[in-house]
Amino acid sequence: MARALVLLLLGPAWAQSALAPIQEHPLARQAQSLVQAALKALEAQRSPLALNLQGNYGRLGYDCTPPGLCQNLPESTASLTLSLVLTPFPFGEVADGLERAQIALGQAQLGYRRALAALQAQAVAAYGRHQEALLAEKVALKGVELAQAALEAAKRRQANPRELREAELSLKEAETRLEEARRGVLLARRAAEGLVDLEAPLPPVPVPDGGTYLQVEEAQLGLLEARIAYGSALRGLLPQLQASYLLYPSGSDALALSLSSRTLQPTLSYTRLDPPRPPTQVPGVGSYRTTEELRLSLALTLSPGLLAGLEAAEARLRGAEAALRAAEDQAKLQEETLRNALQGAEAALALARLRLEAEKRALEEAQRRLELGLESGLGLLRAELSLLQAELGVLQAQNNLRNRVMELYGLYGKLLEVNP
């Protein structure tokens, strides 16, 4: 329950970051509602008492000898029973219901973590794609500028018709790429709607230290549920003992205390009868009325269906144990794969940064050569374009690395920590 409450209170912290829209996402709302429903269901199972009210009414018909006897008999019967069921401690079927409610809460928590981790990964990816789209637009704009300068230079030096046509075609291609880049910016913004605030800062995405795999936690809950089902099926083969103690203060009133071996829930009840129970007549002697009664009953049900149910529960238990082992193996392999991809992304980012530094030095050299008259304006534009392309490569590598990290968050079911 504590973890669920912590998850539900993440909203105020996220409100300060680019991930704030996630809290209003339909999938997040759905997962949050399921957690709240599971919490209420658990509270209902933990209720220490229950009150039951039952009323009965019956219409009577008689065939009397002599007929006049029917005039003194009641035409109907009615009773009202008020019962109080106490749960001093969970046992048997009550304990099963409580454990199932706790499992349902755990499953809802895991579903909430899975949903939010997936939404966070989508939001981080959408944020990065928007950044890439903006920088790609700058690259395309610089490409148009370079193509225009190349065409103007070709016209100034009176290049041959073929060179002019190639320069004009290069300009058209650059303009087409610019239009595509601008459409890419619009699409990136649309894809980010409802997931991430593009104007707010994105929280840091550190590499997670590790933790329990989310799919393993889900398999563990499945195993717990299978164990409960097996225990319930096994108890179904055991005899059931029912004990009741009844008091009859009068012919109209009855008090009862009952207990069942299946639940060990004491039940207190009061019953009001109309008409009252008449005393038992003993011909020629008198009458008597029962004032108290102790009832003990033992029930045992044996059938092929119960045995088959036990075998089915046992098979389900074995399957849940196998599913847990498979989930552990699969999660470990997935973690190794993701860690390997993460190392590759880190290496690619390092190479992209080296290229960026090289392009920065190339631009500085081109600027110095231009000042000395050893470089043309076209050469400087090419160096600027190469620098922008290198910056785009670094940004793409950073986003790819961040996406690989988010895959690890999804594997562990962890969420990004956002400081308010």
Side-chain angles (χ1 to χ4, degrees), residues 145-211:
E145 184 181 353
L146 177 60
Q148 288 175 343
L151 179 58
E152 293 173 359
K155 290 180 180 179
R156 284 197 301 270
R157 70 172 186 272
Q158 297 181 351
N160 59 57
R162 180 180 178 181
E163 291 178 345
L164 287 175
R165 287 194 302 270
E166 291 179 352
E168 291 174 350
L169 181 59
S170 297
L171 177 59
K172 284 292 185 181
E173 292 174 348
E175 291 173 345
T176 301
R177 287 192 294 269
L178 178 59
E179 292 177 1
E180 292 177 355
R182 287 172 175 169
R183 288 196 298 269
V185 172
L186 295 177
L187 290 176
R189 286 178 181 172
R190 291 180 183 176
E193 291 178 358
L195 281 175
V196 62
D197 184 1
L198 299 176
E199 305 300 327
L202 190 69
V205 186
V207 179
D209 297 331

Side-chain angles (χ1 to χ4, degrees), residues 37 40-41 59 97 124 233-234 305 321 333 361 368 372 379 394 398:
K40 291 300 181 181
R59 188 76 177 176
V124 169
L234 186 61
E321 292 173 346
L333 178 60
R361 290 193 296 270
R368 287 196 296 269
L372 297 175
V394 169
Q398 289 174 339

